[in-house]
C-alpha cells in the first residue's frame, strides 16, 4: 500500500502542464477522458464501459511507467485504478494489490490509445520533475 501512497503523494506535488490537443483535460498526473470526446484525439474506439474517467500514470523503479484507468468519482487515494499496461499489472501483483474500482474496460477493447495517453502523462510528469 505504501507504493500506491507514494504515487498519489508524488502526483499531488506535481503541477499542471500540457502535452497535446487534449490540453484542457490534462491535470496533475492524469488526463480526463470521455466517450463523447474520445474520437477527437484517438483513432481507436472508446475502450471503457463508463462514459467518463481518468487515465493516470505512476512510476515503478523496476517496471517503469504504470498506466491506470479510474471511472469518474473513483480517483481518490483510497481507490486503485484498473491497470492498462504490463508495468501497472506487474506492480500491483508485486505489491499484492488489485484494482478496487468497478471493472471498466470493454471486452476486446484496443487499449493502445489509452496507454499512449497515459504514457504522455508520464512524460509530462518526468519533464516537470526534471525542472524542479
Amino acid at each position: 500500500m505504501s507504493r500506491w501512497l507514494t504515487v498519489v503523494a508524488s502526483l499531488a506535488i506535481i503541477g499542471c502542464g500540457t502535452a497535446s490537443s487534449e490540453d484542457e483535460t490534462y491535470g496533475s498526473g492524469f488526463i480526463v477522458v470521455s466517450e463523447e470526446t474520445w474520437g477527437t484525439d484517438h483513432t481507436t474506439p472508446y475502450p471503457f464501459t463508463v462514459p467518463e474517467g481518468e487515465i493516470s500514470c505512476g512510476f515503478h523503479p523496476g517496471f517503469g511507467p504504470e498506466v491506470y484507468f479510474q471511472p469518474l468519482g473513483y480517483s481518490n487515494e483510497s481507490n486503485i485504478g484498473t491497470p492498462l499496461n504490463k508495468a501497472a499489472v506487474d506492480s500491483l501483483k508485486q505489491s499484492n494489490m488489485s484494482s478496487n474500482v468497478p471493472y471498466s474496460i470493454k471486452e476486446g477493447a484496443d487499449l493502445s490509445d489509452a496507454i499512449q495517453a497515459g504514457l504522455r502523462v508520464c512524460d509530462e510528469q518526468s519533464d516537470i520533475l526534471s525542472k524542479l
Side-chain angles (χ1 to χ4, degrees), residues 22-106:
E22 299 163 324
D23 290 344
E24 294 176 12
T25 60
Y26 270 86
S28 177
F30 67 92
I31 178 174
V32 175
V33 294
S34 75
E35 191 167 29
E36 186 177 304
T37 61
W38 184 261
T40 304
D41 295 307
H42 307 283
T43 58
T44 59
Y46 185 72
F48 307 109
T49 59
V50 293
E52 290 183 294
E54 296 176 354
I55 296 173
S56 63
C57 175
F59 295 96
H60 186 282
F63 303 126
E66 306 164 73
V67 180
Y68 296 90
F69 177 79
Q70 297 87 255
L72 210 58
Y74 290 89
S75 57
N76 63 47
E77 64 187 43
S78 65
N79 292 308
I80 300 170
T82 302
L84 300 183
N85 66 348
K86 184 173 178 0
V89 170
D90 291 347
S91 177
L92 289 179
K93 191 180 295 183
Q94 181 187 47
S95 301
N96 200 26
M97 298 169 63
S98 61
S99 175
N100 64 355
V101 298
Y103 190 75
S104 53
I105 299 173
K106 292 178 181 175

